[in-house]
Amino acid sequence: DWIARYRPVVRRIEKRLPPGSILLEIGANENGYGRFSGRRVVAVDIAPGHLRAARRCQEVLPVVADVAALPFAEGA
């Protein structure tokens, strides 16, 4: 069950994130962090189909990119 997998992870991460921050998730699918946290998430994947699946089930900003060459500023 996905909720059983994500609930402990979400709880630990949420304690450490400042209010209003946006999470970057590498590797997107329909069972991503945003689905279980309600937090704004930037989902990065090299496969557009994975990003489409993620958007069907959760609120994410999809970014097609390779994890070895992320299109974000240093320290973002």
Side-chain angles (χ1 to χ4, degrees):
D1 182 48
W2 286 99
I3 192 77
R5 291 182 189 184
Y6 266 90
R7 187 175 306 276
V9 173
V10 168
R11 284 184 182 148
R12 289 185 77 183
I13 291 173
E14 290 298 314
K15 289 178 186 176
R16 292 171 173 83
L17 292 175
S21 62
I22 300 170
L23 187 111
L24 175 64
E25 184 166 35
I26 306 295
N29 66 40
E30 59 274 0
N31 292 306
Y33 190 88
R35 182 173 181 187
F36 302 103
S37 74
R39 180 174 290 277
R40 291 180 58 198
V41 173
V42 174
V44 176
D45 204 293
I46 199 164
H50 291 179
L51 292 166
R52 282 192 295 275
R55 289 191 73 200
R56 282 194 297 269
C57 300
Q58 59 197 314
E59 189 87 19
V60 298
L61 173 62
V63 176
V64 177
D66 187 320
V67 69
L70 294 173
F72 304 109
E74 186 75 25

